[in-house]
Amino acid sequence: MMISQFFVVSQRGDNIVFRDCKLPFFSLSRSHPLRFETYHRAEVPKGSTETFFRKVKFWKEDGNAEAPPIFNVDGVNYFHVKVVGLYFVATTRVNVSPSLVLELLQRIARVIKDYLGVLNEDSFRKNFVLVYELLDEVIDFGYVQTSSTEVLKSYVFNEPILIAPARLQPIDPAAIFTQGSKRMPGTAVTKSVVANDPGGRRREEIFVDIIEKISVTFSSSGYILTSEIDGTIQMKSYLSGNPEIRLALNEDLNIGRGGASVYDYRSSSGSGVILDDCNFHESVRLDSFDSDRTLSLVPPDGEFPVMNYRMTQEFKPPFHVNTLIEEAGRLKAEVIIKIRAEFPSDVVANTITIQMPLPNYTSRASFELELGAAGQKTDFKETSKMLEWSFKKASLESLSWFAIEHVIVGGAEHTLRAKLTFSQEFHGNITKEAGPVSMTFTIPMYNVSKLQVKYLQIAKNSSSQNPYRWVRYVTQANSYVARI
């Protein structure tokens, strides 16, 4: 058996969906020699949901990072991924491929989102019959049958009960789609791929996301030690008739460094966009990719990655972080953290958090922000000895100047001073017992690799209205670290 159980748990520990993947086996009946009796092998106890949640909660209370995606309790392997605040969990006692199970959980979440339009507790509870029907088709006795939305449409015909837009929780401020001067909120893609719009009509539109997660490590003097981009081009299509799509990328796009070192940046300027490697979805045809960097495909139903890529070419990091910690007395020290936005002034970053581990003997911390600072929050977590500095999110209704003050605008610079009090004298170099500084952020409509979608062409032999094409760029921090 591949997996024994699958369940979805909320952040409060509520069990929303539970499926016990029992494997039947047969034995001869004692009373009737020619009759077989059916049994079910229960490998994992029913209380696994409570065990999982207690373990995850214990990890958080311990002050460490979140629970790892895989852990073992009493011989049971727990695999989980967290999607929009919900835990998708699989359990098994046997030795299975971790990457395979984690990928399965991600695909189950994606399939359910394709059908329901939005993932939250309300949508699950209103469509639990449809969710269980999908699970029955995806997993059979613990073995994967299919995880393709397009294939499932041939077996699952129920339409979901859609959640009214007014009942949706506020989404990430980065979810802003743009087409020329038009702007629309990300709720445009929170609709089902199988349900029609009110009135029985289906709006013809297609969404393309270029999402980049960057990893940068700064030295104590501010120089870049390592830098890497993990990017993906995601597509979600609501086009009828399965038309062919042509997606054009930069003409100066190059794949591979031709044997050059990944840290040889001398020839990076003026050489276009250089990707170390990439891979494509199975539906993508590369007939003209080498000549004009154009991808051709017939998009399947649901959300899927058109292209994944990795880049280690030198790029300008969106934020520069400087940190200084020095003694300020017998049992005192002062920390100065300065961040500077290196992107254009018409770009806004949000969901920003800066964290810095402090020495274990830190007993108190007081903070001092620059004059006129608005929308900033500081905190000292005494249990984990963690300094935290965060910025509020922007408003989606209108990005007014008042809202922008609560995020970071390109070119801005912010400074935090923290005065630390210790419970004992420190010996040696204090910089070795503190840090490094880590930063998380999201920057909508901006990407550091300069990979661009030049045009999105839809080959459709119809006289219907021209479909809407929405393209967005999002840059997120994967591992953004500054050493002290």
Side-chain angles (χ1 to χ4, degrees):
M1 182 187 298
M2 180 181 174
I3 63 174
S4 300
Q5 295 172 338
F6 169 83
F7 51 89
V8 180
V9 180
S10 70
Q11 289 182 315
R12 300 187 306 273
D14 298 335
N15 189 9
I16 303 174
V17 174
F18 183 88
R19 171 62 74 194
D20 201 345
C21 306
K22 297 178 179 179
L23 179 65
F25 65 97
F26 306 94
S27 65
L28 287 173
S29 173
R30 294 183 178 179
S31 57
H32 298 81
L34 298 180
R35 182 184 300 173
F36 287 91
E37 292 183 344
T38 304
Y39 300 89
H40 293 280
R41 184 182 296 115
E43 291 191 341
V44 180
K46 291 286 187 181
S48 57
T49 55
E50 297 181 5
T51 302
F52 166 80
F53 185 71
R54 284 199 305 268
K55 195 68 176 178
V56 171
K57 189 176 181 180
F58 169 78
W59 242 296
K60 289 185 177 181
E61 290 179 351
D62 194 35
N64 296 325
E66 292 188 352
I70 306 167
F71 56 84
N72 185 284
V73 179
D74 298 330
V76 178
N77 299 316
Y78 290 84
F79 304 81
H80 79 278
V81 297
K82 191 174 181 180
V83 183
V84 292
L86 300 176
Y87 293 99
F88 288 72
V89 191
T91 65
T92 183
R93 288 186 179 272
V94 300
N95 186 17
V96 297
S97 170
S99 58
L100 179 61
V101 179
L102 294 177
E103 177 66 20
L104 171 63
L105 295 175
Q106 290 282 5
R107 293 199 179 191
I108 290 177
R110 187 179 302 167
V111 165
I112 295 176
K113 183 178 184 298
D114 287 341
Y115 268 80
L116 305 188
V118 62
L119 281 181
N120 59 27
E121 290 187 52
D122 199 12
S123 64
F124 266 94
R125 299 187 191 282
K126 287 184 175 296
N127 295 278
F128 71 93
V129 174
L130 175 58
V131 171
Y132 277 105
E133 189 176 356
L134 289 170
L135 291 178
D136 287 339
E137 297 296 339
V138 174
I139 306 174
D140 189 20
F141 297 122
Y143 292 94
V144 183
Q145 304 303 307
T146 183
S147 60
S148 169
T149 303
E150 191 169 15
V151 174
L152 289 171
K153 287 180 68 175
S154 303
Y155 303 100
V156 180
F157 302 101
N158 288 333
E159 288 196 3
I161 300 174
L162 301 179
I163 306 300
R167 302 185 61 181
L168 292 177
Q169 296 294 325
I171 59 173
D172 192 289
I176 298 177
F177 290 85
T178 297
Q179 182 184 15
S181 59
K182 298 181 182 179
R183 286 183 179 265
M184 63 183 303
T187 49
V189 291
T190 57
K191 64 178 184 179
S192 171
V193 297
V194 296
N196 293 322
D197 293 336
R201 303 182 63 181
R202 184 171 180 175
R203 178 169 172 170
E204 299 284 313
E205 54 190 346
I206 185 170
F207 300 88
V208 179
D209 297 349
I210 295 86
I211 304 173
E212 295 186 345
K213 297 184 178 182
I214 62 177
S215 301
V216 179
T217 302
F218 296 94
S219 67
S220 57
S221 56
Y223 292 101
I224 299 176
L225 298 177
T226 61
S227 59
E228 183 175 337
I229 299 174
D230 288 314
T232 181
I233 300 178
Q234 294 273 354
M235 181 177 291
K236 192 168 187 178
S237 173
Y238 295 95
L239 303 176
S240 58
N242 295 326
E244 183 180 6
I245 305 295
R246 289 178 60 85
L247 188 73
L249 305 177
N250 307 50
E251 294 182 356
D252 57 356
L253 175 64
N254 297 300
I255 311 297
R257 289 181 170 272
S261 169
V262 294
Y263 297 109
D264 182 12
Y265 301 142
R266 292 172 296 179
S267 61
S268 61
S269 60
S271 57
V273 180
I274 302 178
L275 306 180
D276 289 48
D277 49 63
C278 63
N279 59 69
F280 302 92
H281 190 266
E282 58 187 11
S283 64
V284 176
R285 297 197 308 273
L286 304 174
D287 301 339
S288 59
F289 183 72
D290 290 336
S291 59
D292 57 9
R293 297 309 188 198
T294 301
L295 306 176
S296 302
L297 69 153
V298 176
D301 291 320
E303 187 175 1
F304 68 99
V306 176
M307 173 183 173
N308 298 309
Y309 58 91
R310 186 175 65 92
M311 175 180 174
T312 57
Q313 180 189 4
E314 183 182 24
F315 58 86
K316 187 176 183 180
F319 288 98
H320 200 84
V321 184
N322 288 322
T323 306
L324 175 66
I325 181 171
E326 56 185 9
E327 302 177 18
R330 181 169 169 266
L331 295 174
K332 297 181 181 295
E334 185 177 20
V335 176
I336 302 176
I337 303 176
K338 182 181 294 186
I339 58 174
R340 185 174 68 253
E342 301 287 354
F343 42 86
S345 59
D346 58 344
V347 177
V348 177
N350 47 46
T351 60
I352 305 157
T353 302
I354 298 97
Q355 291 183 326
M356 175 182 172
L358 300 177
N360 293 330
Y361 43 80
T362 306
S363 59
R364 190 169 65 252
S366 59
F367 303 97
E368 179 183 338
L369 293 169
E370 54 198 352
L371 294 176
Q376 301 181 31
K377 179 182 177 182
T378 56
D379 189 20
F380 169 59
K381 301 183 182 298
E382 189 172 357
T383 56
S384 58
K385 307 299 181 184
M386 182 72 69
L387 179 154
E388 187 171 292
W389 180 23
S390 59
F391 293 75
K392 290 184 179 180
K393 298 179 180 180
S395 171
L396 277 179
E397 284 75 13
S398 62
L399 283 175
S400 63
W401 284 108
F402 176 78
I404 290 179
E405 289 179 355
H406 290 185
V407 294
I408 293 183
V409 183
E413 186 174 295
H414 298 274
T415 303
L416 170 68
R417 293 177 180 269
K419 296 181 179 180
L420 311 180
T421 302
F422 301 136
S423 59
Q424 66 182 48
E425 291 189 18
F426 48 86
H427 304 281
N429 191 352
I430 191 176
T431 59
K432 294 182 179 180
E433 302 184 48
V437 176
S438 60
M439 186 175 184
T440 60
F441 54 82
T442 299
I443 310 176
M445 301 315 300
Y446 178 78
N447 67 330
V448 294
S449 71
K450 307 305 179 184
L451 183 67
Q452 301 286 325
V453 174
K454 295 302 182 182
Y455 64 83
L456 182 62
Q457 187 179 64
I458 303 174
K460 188 172 183 180
N461 298 324
S462 174
S463 58
S464 62
Q465 183 180 359
N466 189 32
Y468 290 91
R469 302 168 176 84
W470 305 102
V471 179
R472 77 169 179 178
Y473 300 86
V474 179
T475 297
Q476 297 174 328
N478 184 34
S479 174
Y480 212 83
V481 177
R483 297 177 181 173
I484 299 178

